[in-house]
Amino acid sequence: MVAFSSILGHEKCDSYFIFSGETSLGDNFRVFLYFLGLAYCFIGLSAITTRFFQSMENVVKHTRKVVEVDPVTKTETIRYEKVWNYTIADISLLAFGTSFPQISLATIDAIQNIGKLNAGGLGPGTLVGSAAFDLFPIHAVCVVVPKAGELKKIADLGVWLVELFWSFWAYIWLYIILEIWTPNVVTLWEALLTVLQYGLLLTHAYAQDKQWPYISLPIARDERPEDWVPEESPYFQQEAHEKVDWSEIRHVNEENGDTADIFSFRSENPTDPLYVRVPEIDDEAEILDKAKEARLKDTHLFAIWRQQFVDALMLESPKSKKFRNVFLCIARIFWQLLLLPWRFLFAFVPPCQIAHGWISFICSLLFISGIAYIVTNLTDLISCVTGINAYVIAFTALASGTSWPDLVASKIAAERQKTADSAIANITCSNSVNIYVGIGIPWLIDTLYNFIAYREPLRIQNAGGLSFSLVVFFSTSVGCISVLVFRRIIFGAELGGPRIWAWITCAFFMLLWIIFVVLSSLKVSGFI
């Protein structure tokens, strides 16, 4: 087999990942190893996403006690209200968290290129490619996730339209910077304005959610779940019984075998030893509060943390129904062994019961940043060995791999939410976050340094290719949104519906993604 460097007329790459002896290996073997490492990092991102999602659910479930006194009777009324607004949780915690791999990668790329007048193309390429992956393949998955005939629609169209507007405007704004306002360069003010627009998105969405006059769209809101975290579906209850991966319902230790977390109180199976009976209480927030007090009283956080390591090292029992087929049994065991190092590593993340899940949430993001750093180095090596433009690798392999948390989060939301709000909001808001934060912050870092050190703006590599990708993305995204609108008109919902039409929609979305990838790759490679 002819080496990549010979085919592309590329000089031998002297860079290495771990030890200098890598350079003596054949280019084909090195590329194979680096891609293998890249794939394993993506598996790690998938594993940490489960822990991140669990911690985020605890953050969003946090309530505060509100005491109201009747001015006439002086009677005190106690109620519990959510700390987090439904819409803000979608835009900030969910969208920002699931986009953190791309944001970390772009920021690391910017820091590595700091002091240079030219910005690296790895970050912007990954973020634009991630936007396409979010919009097309993730929509494709979410459309077919509901059961046959089940319909899930967006309950708050007003909020979705606001999020969609800012998502489209983000890419229009990026094109204006690159091609119209200051072609091929980014100034400090442009980078700063890019970041500040994320705050405008949050404000506008909150105003729409609260139906502020003169600012919000006069669109009626359908019934939507009051809690961000919905009731569990039978699928998740089954997963909890079998303790697969990061089960949300766990024994704390042998001494407290009947102790379960707050998710267990909705169980419809009263005989299950994993569940504990709780007296009927009208206020769900009060249930959560009492559950928290009981859990902290009967258990110790270090015992919970210790159990995380035990669960991480445990494999699924062969007696499970999933192991009836011998081949599936072997494949399942192999997959669990593959995940074992990641699961053990992520067991060091503190339990989400601490500080309402915030410490676990932040530690999950730190682990994601560490994986993103490894991914950045591996991508540079692949580009170095093969001679393939790093931008092409960025919006194909990197964009798909780092967008895996987005896919997992939207899929879970499409399965567990009664509406399509969170699943689709995660897609549109992640695209906004990719530009306003993911590109804005790295550009702000580089432009600020260049302004102080050289009084020069930041030059953008492959600005023409990036602008072309934006045009292709914008054109294909119109087709994607149009299909969602037609589905709303014809079927009454964006997700689910007749199985045949769901799969046709899925295939169409995947076709749009292929068109984006092919055209963008040809442009960067100089074929068009």
Side-chain angles (χ1 to χ4, degrees):
M1 183 181 292
V2 182
F4 284 103
S5 57
S6 301
I7 295 174
L8 299 172
H10 185 64
E11 296 181 359
K12 184 174 179 61
C13 178
D14 293 326
S15 301
Y16 56 89
F17 182 61
I18 299 177
F19 54 89
S20 58
E22 296 173 20
T23 57
S24 62
L25 302 174
D27 286 347
N28 294 318
F29 187 60
R30 289 182 68 188
V31 171
F32 171 75
L33 289 179
Y34 296 149
F35 267 115
L36 203 63
L38 204 61
Y40 196 62
C41 286
F42 294 155
I43 292 175
L45 285 175
S46 176
I48 191 62
T49 297
T50 307
R51 175 57 60 89
F52 156 77
F53 204 87
Q54 189 179 27
S55 64
M56 185 188 65
E57 287 181 337
N58 269 35
V59 171
V60 177
K61 278 180 174 290
H62 180 41
T63 60
R64 61 177 170 226
K65 184 177 180 180
V66 179
V67 179
E68 296 178 345
V69 179
D70 188 285
V72 179
T73 63
K74 305 299 180 182
T75 304
E76 289 188 353
T77 303
I78 300 175
R79 62 182 177 86
Y80 294 83
E81 63 179 22
K82 298 293 181 182
V83 174
W84 279 89
N85 174 266
Y86 185 98
T87 298
I88 298 300
D90 278 340
I91 300 176
S92 55
L93 295 178
L94 181 61
F96 181 80
T98 55
S99 296
F100 202 73
Q102 301 95 300
I103 296 172
S104 298
L105 191 147
T107 305
I108 292 169
D109 184 49
I111 294 173
Q112 290 177 342
N113 286 279
I114 199 168
K116 300 178 182 178
L117 293 178
N118 293 328
L122 194 62
T126 302
L127 289 160
V128 173
S130 173
F133 189 90
D134 286 352
L135 194 64
F136 305 129
I138 297 183
H139 264 129
V141 171
C142 290
V143 165
V144 297
V145 159
K147 299 177 182 178
E150 184 181 10
L151 293 170
K152 294 190 177 184
K153 67 178 181 178
I154 298 172
D156 198 335
L157 276 176
V159 170
W160 179 69
L161 288 175
V162 168
E163 295 166 346
L164 188 65
F165 165 77
W166 284 100
S167 174
F168 272 90
W169 168 248
Y171 293 90
I172 296 173
W173 167 253
L174 192 59
Y175 184 85
I176 291 173
I177 291 176
L178 294 175
E179 295 293 333
I180 300 174
W181 198 345
T182 54
N184 302 327
V185 299
V186 177
T187 65
L188 176 60
W189 288 109
E190 289 172 337
L192 184 60
L193 286 174
T194 302
V195 175
L196 291 177
Q197 287 183 71
Y198 180 61
L200 294 178
L201 163 63
L202 289 172
T203 304
H204 193 184
Y206 184 77
Q208 180 64 43
D209 180 82
K210 294 299 183 180
Q211 299 288 310
W212 288 359
Y214 308 112
I215 299 178
S216 61
L217 299 173
I219 299 177
R221 174 189 298 161
D222 294 333
E223 182 181 358
R224 70 178 186 186
E226 294 184 4
D227 293 334
W228 192 92
V229 184
E231 294 184 1
E232 293 176 292
S233 63
Y235 168 79
F236 282 91
Q237 291 180 4
Q238 179 182 358
E239 291 289 309
H241 288 299
E242 297 180 1
K243 290 191 176 184
V244 179
D245 295 332
W246 298 103
S247 176
E248 293 175 331
I249 303 172
R250 301 185 183 281
H251 290 297
V252 176
N253 51 40
E254 294 180 358
E255 297 177 357
N256 297 293
D258 292 331
T259 304
D261 68 1
I262 54 179
F263 292 89
S264 64
F265 296 118
R266 295 193 180 97
S267 172
E268 296 178 359
N269 185 0
T271 63
D272 196 319
L274 281 178
Y275 298 97
V276 59
R277 290 181 177 272
V278 177
E280 295 283 336
I281 304 177
D282 293 334
D283 195 330
E284 183 180 359
E286 189 176 349
I287 294 178
L288 301 180
D289 217 40
K290 289 183 178 295
K292 177 183 175 182
E293 293 175 2
R295 183 173 64 250
L296 294 179
K297 180 179 178 180
D298 297 335
T299 66
H300 198 279
L301 289 174
F302 283 108
I304 300 175
W305 205 339
R306 180 189 63 189
Q307 188 64 30
Q308 288 184 177
F309 288 93
V310 175
D311 293 332
L313 297 175
M314 291 178 61
L315 298 180
E316 187 176 353
S317 172
K319 296 180 181 180
S320 170
K321 295 180 181 179
K322 295 181 180 180
F323 288 94
R324 290 176 179 176
N325 185 294
V326 177
F327 176 77
L328 291 178
C329 173
I330 296 174
R332 184 74 180 180
I333 292 175
F334 175 75
W335 177 252
Q336 290 186 74
L337 290 173
L338 204 61
L339 280 174
L340 192 62
W342 288 121
R343 293 173 58 178
F344 179 77
L345 178 63
F346 298 148
F348 285 96
V349 176
C352 58
Q353 288 86 351
I354 302 175
H356 306 292
W358 274 111
I359 297 178
S360 177
F361 182 85
I362 294 172
C363 288
S364 298
L365 296 185
L366 292 176
F367 272 105
I368 290 173
S369 297
I371 298 175
Y373 176 75
I374 298 174
V375 166
T376 303
N377 291 335
L378 288 172
T379 304
D380 288 337
L381 284 169
I382 292 173
S383 178
C384 179
V385 174
T386 63
I388 298 175
N389 191 309
Y391 182 75
V392 175
I393 301 175
F395 68 73
T396 52
L398 277 190
S400 303
T402 56
S403 294
W404 196 255
D406 286 311
L407 175 61
V408 173
S410 288
K411 179 178 177 294
I412 291 174
E415 287 174 330
R416 297 178 61 179
Q417 286 281 4
K418 297 177 181 178
T419 67
D421 291 74
S422 291
I424 295 181
N426 178 48
I427 297 171
T428 53
C429 294
S430 292
N431 287 352
S432 300
V433 171
N434 284 346
I435 299 299
Y436 301 134
V437 180
I439 291 183
I441 289 181
W443 279 358
L444 186 60
I445 293 172
D446 283 342
T447 54
L448 183 61
Y449 183 89
N450 286 1
F451 179 79
I452 296 174
Y454 310 115
R455 300 290 176 177
E456 292 284 341
L458 183 68
R459 299 190 186 97
I460 304 300
Q461 295 179 355
N462 293 321
L466 186 61
S467 300
F468 179 82
S469 297
L470 289 172
V471 172
V472 176
F473 171 75
F474 193 87
S475 302
T476 49
S477 62
V478 171
C480 175
I481 300 302
S482 298
V483 169
L484 291 178
V485 172
F486 284 134
R487 286 181 57 84
R488 180 64 176 250
I489 295 173
I490 297 173
F491 302 118
E494 290 78 15
L495 306 182
R499 212 60 182 165
I500 181 65
W501 287 108
W503 280 108
I504 290 175
T505 305
C506 174
F508 177 71
F509 288 163
M510 292 303 298
L511 177 62
L512 292 177
W513 183 62
I514 292 173
I515 291 173
F516 167 82
V517 170
V518 170
L519 291 180
S520 297
S521 300
L522 292 175
K523 176 64 176 180
V524 174
S525 302
F527 291 103
I528 57 176

